[in-house]
Amino acid sequence: MDLRRKRAYEIASAEDGFRVLIDRLWPRGVSKEKAAIDLWAKDIAPSTELRHDWHAAPDADFEINAERYRQQLAHESAEALDQLVAELAQHPVVTLVYALHNTEHNHAVVLADVLRSRLS
């Protein structure tokens, strides 16, 4: 499976395949039609507390927050992760859609790594 990441503010395209919004909140200013989301996986998103910490933390704290998110995925969000893995396994191309500006230090990077290990 080809697993990709893309910001919600970028134009959706047919090459994106199955588009999964992985944020707890809908991206501000993006219509549902423009977003072209196939699945909104709210339960897989970082908890409200972790999301706040992630937004407030400098990039230097990325690994700390990434590890907290991995722990959340292994425990509180384990059932949601299992459901997402089962759904994604049915699609040849999947794009994880997120709203954060930082494309390298965000939960989509962590989730993509976790999904790749589960789907391989």
Side-chain angles (χ1 to χ4, degrees):
M1 178 194 31
D2 185 6
L3 186 60
R4 304 171 183 183
R5 295 179 287 123
K6 193 172 195 178
R7 290 194 66 232
Y9 302 100
E10 295 177 51
I11 297 171
S13 71
E15 291 82 36
D16 292 342
F18 189 74
R19 290 172 53 88
V20 181
L21 179 62
I22 58 168
D23 287 346
R24 194 166 298 277
L25 304 174
W26 190 266
R28 191 174 292 177
V30 177
S31 70
K32 292 191 181 196
E33 294 77 29
K34 182 180 175 187
I37 298 299
D38 297 302
L39 175 66
W40 186 3
K42 293 180 201 179
D43 295 336
I44 205 74
S47 66
T48 300
E49 178 185 350
L50 179 52
R51 183 173 51 86
H52 289 176
D53 290 350
W54 214 312
H55 287 296
D59 289 345
D61 290 342
F62 174 74
E63 282 306 320
I64 294 167
N65 290 321
E67 183 55 32
R68 287 177 60 198
Y69 184 43
R70 284 185 201 95
Q71 290 299 314
Q72 178 187 318
L73 291 170
H75 299 288
E76 303 97 301
S77 300
E79 185 177 335
L81 179 61
D82 290 342
Q83 291 172 359
L84 183 60
V85 167
E87 176 65 36
L88 299 187
Q90 301 174 40
H91 303 280
V93 178
V94 173
T95 298
L96 303 177
V97 180
Y98 62 95
L100 285 172
H101 293 285
N102 189 328
T103 60
E104 297 304 316
H105 296 112
N106 63 57
H107 68 290
V109 172
V110 177
L111 181 58
D113 287 341
V114 169
L115 290 171
R116 282 187 184 100
S117 70
R118 294 278 305 266
L119 290 162
S120 60

